[in-house]
Amino acid sequence: MISQIIAVLIFLVMFVEIVREKIPRYLVALLAGAATIVAVFLCCMHSPAAVWEALSFESMADSGFWYALHGEGELNTGINWSTIIFITGMMIMVECMSEAGFFDWLCLRLAKLVDYKPVPLLICFMILSAVLSMFIDSITVILFLAVASVSLAKLLEFDPIPLIIAEIFTANLGGSATMSGDPPNIIIGTALGLTFGDFLTNTGIIALVGLVVIVPFFYFCFRKSLRSASPAGAAKARALDPKAAITDKRRFAVSTVIFLVIVVLLITHAKTGLTVASVGVIAAVLGLAATKAPIHLLRRVDWQTVLFFIGLFVAVSGLEQTGVLEAMAEGIAHITGGSLVLMIIVILWLSAVASAFVDNIPFAATMVPVINSLSATMGVDLNTLAWTLSMGTDIGGSATPIGASANVAGTAIASKNGYHIGWGRYCKYSAPAAVIVLAISMVMLLLRY
């Protein structure tokens, strides 16, 4: 069918251009989405209805979009506006916290706690990266942690690259524990009606075991390369007062309270009935209300990422509405013979390998309708496939510098400050770490489900 061929070609070109990084990825995704609307829906299918379905505006008019007491999710074709609204709201809240000096204060406070020693700093920042990424998207966590690592490294005169590599990996690992940590989980959770608690009690347990193993792994990898800080640098660092990072005490207190309120709403949203879209709106409103310059704060939000998601969802809708994703599901079902054990193994490692070389966000968006179709046709538990896909995309995406958005952000900050992280050095440590956590994930998934 010509529409299927064109939809696949558009998607493949989009993937290639995202990997090449010659054109901003938000432009690539938007162009792919526009090409899908014109070439696939209008020229091949002659269906304005398919365009409307891909844009999915009517989903926001449904009361269940904002309030769903039993947490039922509907896998809508097209733009997942729940994901868009939630990510935007969290970005606004985080910008409000950053403006108040929250993250600078936190990093300096922890550095002072370990007396500015590089090896304890490595362990401390790994754990901090994992914990924060459970509640704030991993991209944002890496943006401020990488900057803090470079600043401390320059002050203490040590190589920050080990810190940044370890922080990137643990951010993706911590993000896999909840539905608000990594973008793939947000896509999976909002599409399938899963809650913060669902992720925490399933992927969260796997992530915790993985963290217990990975922290010692990176410690043994980097303990020799992280030499002691210079005495002069350590003396300068000790003279720093973490409180000086707080630009406005009142806003600092308010932004901290807002963060805690949003965390509580996320944890309890299955009981309160508030969907993640509603939580995202609340986060945005509170964040804007707490700042003195809401327009300036809105300008600092990463709108390019929001546009990237919109274009991406439309391109994936082209694959879904032309039956390409259904064919993929049938192929996996044929390979596995309907065996849940084989499905877990195939989906986990396929997701991991694919996410290592192409951004895990579009791959997760592509695979959600596939696992939904697999569950419907083969009668296997959809949630089990969701946890498998989540761990595969999140951890597989950690293996290379381009596998996840957090990786790209962290390595870019390092390069900008004169610390180039090549593929060889990055993969030398992160690829084995990814294999270790994926092996743990596979064993735990097979034993539990």
Side-chain angles (χ1 to χ4, degrees):
M1 191 175 180
I2 190 67
S3 61
Q4 291 179 322
I5 295 171
I6 293 176
V8 170
L9 284 175
I10 291 170
F11 197 78
L12 288 176
V13 170
M14 180 187 74
F15 253 138
V16 169
E17 288 304 316
I18 288 172
V19 172
R20 288 179 70 236
E21 297 182 309
K22 299 294 183 182
I23 305 171
R25 67 175 192 168
Y26 79 96
L27 284 179
V28 173
L30 286 175
L31 288 171
T36 300
I37 289 173
V38 174
V40 178
F41 297 144
L42 296 179
C43 293
C44 292
M45 296 173 64
H46 307 289
S47 175
V51 177
W52 184 249
E53 190 174 356
L55 296 176
S56 195
F57 291 128
E58 77 282 356
S59 63
M60 289 183 281
D62 187 350
S63 60
F65 182 87
W66 305 102
Y67 181 82
L69 187 58
H70 301 292
E72 293 95 343
E74 184 179 344
L75 187 62
N76 63 295
T77 297
I79 300 172
N80 187 326
W81 289 108
S82 290
T83 298
I84 301 296
I85 292 170
F86 177 70
I87 287 179
T88 304
M90 294 299 283
M91 283 180 176
I92 291 171
M93 182 194 73
V94 167
E95 285 298 333
C96 172
M97 295 171 70
S98 179
E99 198 176 60
F102 178 86
F103 298 118
D104 292 336
W105 169 82
L106 183 60
C107 289
L108 283 172
R109 190 72 186 169
L110 288 172
K112 190 172 184 178
L113 194 65
V114 297
D115 198 27
Y116 301 95
K117 294 176 181 177
V119 173
L121 203 60
L122 169 71
I123 297 170
C124 195
F125 273 29
M126 277 195 288
I127 295 171
L128 175 64
S129 180
V131 172
L132 285 178
S133 293
M134 292 172 63
F135 307 104
I136 305 171
D137 76 88
S138 54
I139 306 167
T140 305
V141 171
I142 286 302
L143 284 176
F144 77 80
L145 268 184
V147 171
S149 298
V150 168
S151 300
L152 287 169
K154 286 181 176 178
L155 184 66
L156 301 173
E157 298 178 14
F158 67 86
D159 182 8
I161 290 177
L163 258 71
I164 293 172
I165 291 174
E167 287 161 4
I168 289 170
F169 192 93
T170 50
N172 289 324
L173 180 57
S176 70
T178 68
M179 75 169 288
S180 60
D182 266 358
N185 285 17
I186 300 171
I187 292 170
I188 295 167
T190 53
L192 304 181
L194 301 170
T195 67
F196 187 95
D198 290 335
F199 274 92
L200 194 62
T201 53
N202 290 278
T203 58
I205 295 171
I206 300 172
L208 178 61
V209 175
L211 185 64
V212 170
V213 174
I214 287 304
V215 169
F217 171 82
F218 280 120
Y219 166 76
F220 285 111
C221 286
F222 296 134
R223 71 188 190 284
K224 292 182 180 178
S225 59
L226 284 172
R227 62 181 179 81
S228 300
S230 69
K236 286 181 185 177
R238 290 188 184 98
L240 294 174
D241 183 7
K243 291 180 182 178
I246 301 173
T247 56
D248 185 316
K249 289 184 178 180
R250 187 191 68 82
R251 276 198 293 165
F252 178 86
V254 170
S255 64
T256 303
V257 170
I258 291 171
F259 174 65
L260 294 174
V261 167
I262 296 303
V263 169
V264 170
L265 289 178
L266 281 171
I267 293 172
T268 61
H269 78 94
K271 294 183 179 179
T272 62
L274 291 175
T275 63
V276 290
S278 295
V279 175
V281 170
I282 293 169
V285 170
L286 293 177
L288 290 170
T291 184
K292 294 179 180 177
I295 301 300
H296 175 68
L297 187 144
L298 286 173
R299 285 175 181 163
R300 290 171 54 189
V301 171
D302 185 7
W303 294 109
Q304 292 184 2
T305 296
V306 176
L307 293 173
F308 169 73
F309 273 108
I310 291 172
L312 167 67
F313 282 127
V314 175
V316 171
S317 179
L319 296 177
E320 185 173 4
Q321 293 196 52
T322 56
V324 173
L325 297 184
E326 187 178 350
M328 284 178 62
E330 289 174 358
I332 294 174
H334 178 71
I335 292 169
T336 59
S339 166
L340 180 58
V341 170
L342 287 177
M343 280 187 195
I344 288 174
I345 295 171
V346 169
I347 291 173
L348 180 72
W349 291 100
L350 173 66
S351 302
V353 172
S355 296
F357 297 101
V358 295
D359 194 296
N360 61 2
I361 297 172
F363 186 81
T366 306
M367 285 297 293
V368 167
V370 172
I371 64 170
N372 189 64
S373 180
L374 271 174
S375 174
T377 56
M378 305 306 295
V380 297
D381 181 46
L382 178 58
N383 287 358
T384 301
L385 299 183
W387 314 139
T388 305
L389 177 61
S390 169
M391 295 308 299
T393 51
D394 292 338
I395 306 306
S398 303
T400 68
I402 62 168
S405 300
N407 312 12
V408 177
T411 53
I413 289 169
S415 296
K416 185 179 178 182
N417 288 275
Y419 301 98
H420 178 67
I421 304 177
W423 270 69
R425 187 171 184 185
Y426 184 94
C427 296
K428 179 181 178 181
Y429 303 106
S430 290
V435 171
I436 290 168
V437 176
L438 286 166
I440 291 170
S441 302
M442 183 178 69
V443 170
M444 292 186 70
L445 286 165
L446 292 174
L447 289 176
R448 186 170 181 184
Y449 304 106

